[in-house]
Amino acid sequence: MLRVRYSISTPSMLRGLRYYSIPTTQKAVVFEHARGPLLYKDIPVPQPRPNELLINVKYSGVCHLDLSAWKGDWKNLPTKAETAGLLVGGHEGAGVVVGMGSNVSGWEVGDHAGVKFVLLSCWKCEYCYDGHEQLCNRPVYSGYTHDGSFQQYATVDAMGAPKIPQDVDLLRVGPILCGGITVYRALKTTTAQAGDWVVILGCSGGLGLLAVQYAKAMGMRVVGIDGGAEKGKAAIAGGVDEFIDFTECDDVISRVVAITNGGAKGAVNVSTLPQAIQQSIQLVKKRGVVVLVGLPPDTTVTASVLQTVLKSVRIEGSFVGNRADTDEAIDFFRRGLINQPITMAGLSQLPEIFDKMSRGEIVGRYVVDTSK
Ligand code: NAD
Ligand code: ZN
């Protein structure tokens, strides 16, 4: 039996009290080893540990990182499938708190909460200590080293879980909890100000269209780069000032330099192929910042030392975001500034979504409904 803790102190809280009956089994998509079959099946509902919330996940975004986890793209970072023989992926979940462990405070049953990639930070290492808890030395990753949001009930650490305001649309907020946070932080890392140009490489994928919209909301001017007519239409609808189709343009670098009158202040790479990363360094002006976000497997970056030095270019990696980035990214969304195209599907359709994603055919984000 799951212990569901309620906090009742006043009549008004009593009026707002909600009861949830929690089943013992649930639907999930699981796999047992890299590239193994993605099985839509019944599994037990997990029990929250003392520090954890139990969330009834209603919707989850499908991120390219989930595809990489399933493919086992990062050999030095094994998933729970490799270490324990089974993994439920997913880290863009949005749902309702239905239970919690005995040490949890600051949460009530009925609150809306998210499942994000960095699920648990130790709060003690040097990175946690100075506000970079996403870089914790002892992290737990949702949908990677801990079962994630491709199930109806997920456990998350209560300290790190994002609280979702009740007036925020649960169906659309999931992608903000990985994609949104990540691109928002990456854009801040470019140090671009309102009016500055930024280039988004891979601008019409899940992270890309979010990056375009956050950049516009932050007052930046955007050159978007992606491939194909559909991606171009989506980028223009998403608000890019200029779109470059890399499958048609012979000289992307000259084109960006011309549009931005000498180079952009920042280039954020959210593309999934190595070629774009090499290009990014040449797209920024002096003292420009290149931010690497996309994670193509087995890829290295080479940069001309002369160019990097003479232009004083900075090349930085950026990995999701901390709790402040999370709350700020959710707030942009709450204020109606971020409106990414979303395609709905059932959780059981995850294998087809991964297929489309592998072929680079997805515009914006797929969100799965865990009840289907
Ligand atoms: P996606 O598949 O939705 O989008 C990728 C986009 O890149 C597609 O639109 C594709 O057409 C485009 N693209 C591919 N090659 C290109 C090229 N040469 N030039 C320009 N565009 C190109 O993927 P997503 O969910 O947006 O994720 C993007 C990447 O970000 C993945 O590698 C993912 O693992 C990574 N990621 C990183 C973090 C982080 O914290 N750093 C967080 C989440 C995801
Ligand atoms: Zn993600």
Side-chain angles (χ1 to χ4, degrees):
M1 264 313 276
L2 285 172
R3 197 160 68 80
V4 177
R5 198 183 68 172
Y6 299 98
S7 162
I8 308 164
S9 56
T10 64
S12 67
M13 285 185 79
L14 259 178
R15 276 201 300 277
L17 187 63
R18 288 165 235 195
Y19 291 92
Y20 293 93
S21 74
I22 301 164
T24 52
T25 62
Q26 57 159 341
K27 291 288 183 204
V29 174
V30 306
F31 62 93
E32 292 170 357
H33 54 87
R35 295 176 188 265
L38 289 156
L39 308 167
Y40 178 62
K41 60 186 265 193
D42 291 311
I43 63 166
V45 168
Q47 293 264 2
R49 285 186 285 204
N51 60 316
E52 287 181 335
L53 303 174
L54 179 68
I55 299 180
N56 176 202
V57 180
K58 301 288 187 192
Y59 305 102
S60 177
V62 183
C63 178
H64 207 106
L65 209 153
D66 296 313
L67 175 63
S68 284
W70 172 69
K71 283 164 53 185
D73 270 350
W74 305 304
K75 304 281 177 290
N76 298 333
L77 196 61
T79 69
K80 179 173 160 275
E82 269 102 32
T83 57
L86 188 138
L87 175 67
V88 176
H91 59 272
E92 289 189 348
V96 181
V97 176
V98 292
M100 65 191 75
S102 53
N103 288 348
V104 173
S105 61
W107 287 93
E108 298 295 337
V109 164
D111 283 347
H112 290 178
V115 181
K116 65 180 178 53
F117 189 64
V118 179
L119 187 87
L120 176 65
S121 307
C122 74
W123 306 111
K124 291 186 188 111
C125 72
E126 62 177 300
Y127 303 104
C128 284
Y129 211 72
D130 75 354
H132 294 88
E133 68 270 12
Q134 75 277 24
L135 305 179
C136 173
N137 279 338
R138 287 179 290 280
V140 176
Y141 298 139
S142 176
Y144 203 92
T145 54
H146 182 98
D147 288 338
S149 54
F150 295 151
Q151 57 182 338
Q152 292 175 302
Y153 291 87
T155 52
V156 299
D157 177 61
M159 277 273 281
K163 197 169 265 188
I164 301 172
Q166 294 278 339
D167 58 353
V168 164
D169 182 2
L170 278 184
L171 192 156
R172 304 185 66 83
V173 75
I176 302 298
L177 304 177
C178 172
I181 299 166
T182 303
V183 300
Y184 175 61
R185 169 114 190 171
L187 286 162
K188 287 203 283 189
T189 302
T190 66
T191 69
Q193 305 286 313
D196 283 340
W197 282 101
V198 291
V199 183
I200 311 292
L201 295 107
C203 70
S204 305
L207 265 63
L209 281 172
L210 285 170
V212 170
Q213 298 201 334
Y214 276 97
K216 293 308 293 180
M218 292 159 91
M220 300 166 190
R221 289 186 280 175
V222 178
V223 181
I225 306 178
D226 211 309
E230 280 301 302
K231 304 260 174 167
K233 256 193 260 165
I236 289 159
V240 292
D241 296 275
E242 298 279 349
F243 176 73
I244 302 174
D245 184 340
F246 74 89
T247 62
E248 291 195 336
C249 178
D250 293 334
D251 190 351
V252 169
I253 296 162
S254 306
R255 180 102 180 84
V256 170
V257 170
I259 292 168
T260 57
N261 195 21
K265 173 68 191 169
V268 176
N269 196 305
V270 289
S271 73
T272 43
L273 290 181
Q275 297 86 304
I277 294 181
Q278 290 310 132
Q279 242 171 33
S280 324
I281 295 150
Q282 296 171 70
L283 304 180
V284 294
K285 64 180 179 180
K286 290 178 187 169
R287 304 197 63 237
V289 184
V290 173
V291 185
L292 304 181
V293 171
L295 292 162
D298 306 319
T299 303
T300 48
V301 184
T302 52
S304 146
V305 172
L306 185 69
Q307 267 209 34
T308 308
V309 172
L310 290 191
K311 285 171 70 180
S312 296
V313 165
R314 190 146 59 85
I315 303 168
E316 269 202 46
S318 187
F319 179 52
V320 289
N322 65 11
R323 286 180 298 172
D325 300 318
T326 303
D327 288 350
E328 289 166 26
I330 293 174
D331 199 52
F332 271 74
F333 176 76
R334 185 188 192 186
R335 286 182 284 136
L337 299 169
I338 310 298
N339 195 13
Q340 184 195 35
I342 285 199
T343 311
M344 286 303 298
L347 175 60
S348 57
Q349 291 168 274
L350 191 63
E352 296 135 63
I353 299 170
F354 275 0
D355 272 353
K356 276 185 130 211
M357 190 174 259
S358 299
R359 293 195 297 269
E361 287 172 7
I362 296 179
V363 172
R365 220 13 149 217
Y366 261 88
V367 169
V368 293
D369 179 338
T370 64
S371 70
K372 295 182 183 157

